[in-house]
Amino acid sequence: MTSLQIPVDILPLDGRFGAGPSKVRAEQIDHLIEHQDILGTSHRQAPVKDLVGRVRTGIAELFNLPEGYEVVLGNGGSTAFWDVLAASLIERRSAHLSFGEFGAKCVTSASAPWLDAPHVVKTEPGTVGHFEPVAGADVYAWPHNETSTGASAPIKRVEGADDGALMVVDATSAAGGIAMDPHDFDVYYFAPQKNFASDGGLWFALLSPAAIARVEKIAASDRHIPPFLSLQAAVENSRLNQTLNTPALATLLLMEAQVEWMNQLGGLDACAHVTAHNSHLLYSWAESHELLSPFVENPEHRSPVIVTLDVDSRVDATVLTTILRANGVVDTEPYRKLGRNQIRIATFVGVSTDDVERLMSSIDFVLAHLLGEGS
Ligand SMILES: *Cc1c(COP(=O)(O)O)cnc(C)c1O
């Protein structure tokens, strides 16, 4: 059955639906080739520094950052930033929403011996928890979009939080695909391999003036901070359009092309409109489907960029995703540790509506064959 061929006229033109690394648009590759003279040149010289500067300016424009907010970057991806958070941002104690794998990993990093044990609001995968104010918490941390489950949390300041408590958001898969107001966060961090359709390995963080002040305060304290985890060092380097150590130049070029394209689309609101439209097509299709249903029950928490759909037990989702993969439609498998009979589809900004529609037709085609086979 895995040799089942999906008719070419309903196959997506681009079969990449993965949650990251995600589909890279052809225009980004063109941009990379056009600027290939930058590859293999010093990151301490003007051409690369100008590139970093254009990416930082483009991001500030995309997110419509208020006066005083800064775009900072460093190496190591979002996973490295969790340790940056523990080393450079949490003063004594953090509070977390944990409703999936990525939120839980952030808690692990924040459980550092030099900090008080974090306060954790843990809820079931597919749900989104809610913060009550926690006395003594100087950081509230949560994922904007939990990529392992397809649940998305609102971005708003915690009412009743201690004065000066920072709102720190893991926006790795949300950034650029979901609208929010930058006044509602102090730190919004992400990596380039999701909506930005670039490669992994870097982290970007949007920092409010309060976050920058906190970074300076901790850097000036007697805490030992490994240089790689020093956000102060990253802030200082970023202001010079540099990174502490060598960044991947091709990644920055792919990123530049995508940020430019997103700004041309009309900025964050326009991008969020695209992802909302495409994800809505999938959710409404699944809601009226005999064999599919949205995993996240509360429609308000259904992610516009990561669509998780449970598959009826009459069909083995692994067979479905294997057939799709054999036909060039890849990475629709669910998050490995979730362990559900499920498919997961990324509807990042660069994924076209036409391909989402073709994907639904392709899945319907395969499901019809699988059901026919079973009866
Ligand atoms: C992908 C992802 C990460 C991990 O990003 P890396 O760059 O691989 O470290 C962290 N958080 C969320 C929400 C993600 O989607």
Side-chain angles (χ1 to χ4, degrees), residues 177-189:
I178 311 182
M180 45 75 213
D181 180 350
H183 293 97
D184 290 330
F185 64 72
D186 295 293
V187 180
Y188 194 74
Y189 62 93

Side-chain angles (χ1 to χ4, degrees), residues 118-367:
H119 174 88
V120 184
V121 180
K122 190 172 190 297
T123 54
E124 286 305 305
T127 67
V128 170
H130 171 77
F131 278 125
E132 297 297 337
V134 180
D138 54 79
V139 158
Y140 287 82
W142 70 99
H144 193 179
N145 188 71
E146 180 45 82
T147 321
S148 67
T149 66
S152 178
I155 302 304
K156 51 176 199 261
R157 292 191 177 269
V158 176
E159 267 178 54
D162 288 2
D163 272 357
L166 301 177
M167 305 297 138
V168 178
V169 180
D170 177 353
T172 309
S173 58
I178 311 182
M180 45 75 213
D181 180 350
H183 293 97
D184 290 330
F185 64 72
D186 295 293
V187 180
Y188 194 74
Y189 62 93
F190 52 92
Q193 72 275 21
K194 310 218 173 173
N195 278 294
F196 293 98
S198 184
D199 260 335
L202 288 171
W203 57 256
F204 289 84
L206 316 180
L207 302 184
S208 73
I212 293 164
R214 172 74 65 83
V215 168
E216 284 169 0
K217 184 179 174 198
I218 293 180
S221 72
D222 55 12
R223 179 184 292 176
H224 169 73
I225 302 177
F228 195 65
L229 303 180
S230 166
L231 196 45
Q232 177 67 22
V235 168
E236 286 166 10
N237 274 291
S238 297
R239 285 175 179 158
L240 301 171
N241 292 327
Q242 300 202 48
T243 43
L244 177 72
N245 61 320
T246 320
L249 306 187
T251 305
L252 284 165
L253 282 168
L254 293 174
M255 178 90 182
E256 176 185 31
Q258 187 74 349
V259 170
E260 220 169 70
W261 177 73
M262 290 161 86
N263 279 326
Q264 276 163 12
L265 273 184
L268 186 58
D269 285 342
C271 294
H273 188 79
V274 171
T275 63
H277 177 76
N278 289 343
S279 59
H280 182 74
L281 289 177
L282 287 161
Y283 288 124
S284 37
W285 167 67
E287 269 178 332
S288 57
H289 204 286
E290 193 197 341
L291 297 169
L292 301 171
S293 55
F295 169 53
V296 177
E297 271 172 33
N298 183 344
E300 282 183 19
H301 292 155
R302 283 179 195 158
S303 167
V305 287
I306 298 288
V307 176
T308 48
L309 303 177
D310 279 342
V311 178
D312 187 276
S313 59
R314 282 174 287 168
V315 171
D316 180 350
T318 313
V319 176
L320 169 61
T321 55
T322 304
I323 294 172
L324 289 171
R325 184 170 287 280
N327 282 271
V329 177
V330 302
D331 300 338
T332 58
E333 291 82 5
Y335 190 77
R336 57 201 141 86
K337 283 197 208 148
L338 195 60
R340 291 184 74 90
N341 196 46
Q342 185 176 92
I343 54 174
R344 179 175 66 160
I345 298 153
T347 48
F348 292 137
V349 195
V351 174
S352 75
T353 303
D354 179 50
D355 276 345
V356 169
E357 283 166 347
R358 286 164 174 272
L359 176 66
M360 293 187 287
S361 304
S362 297
I363 291 174
D364 277 333
F365 176 85
V366 177
L367 287 176

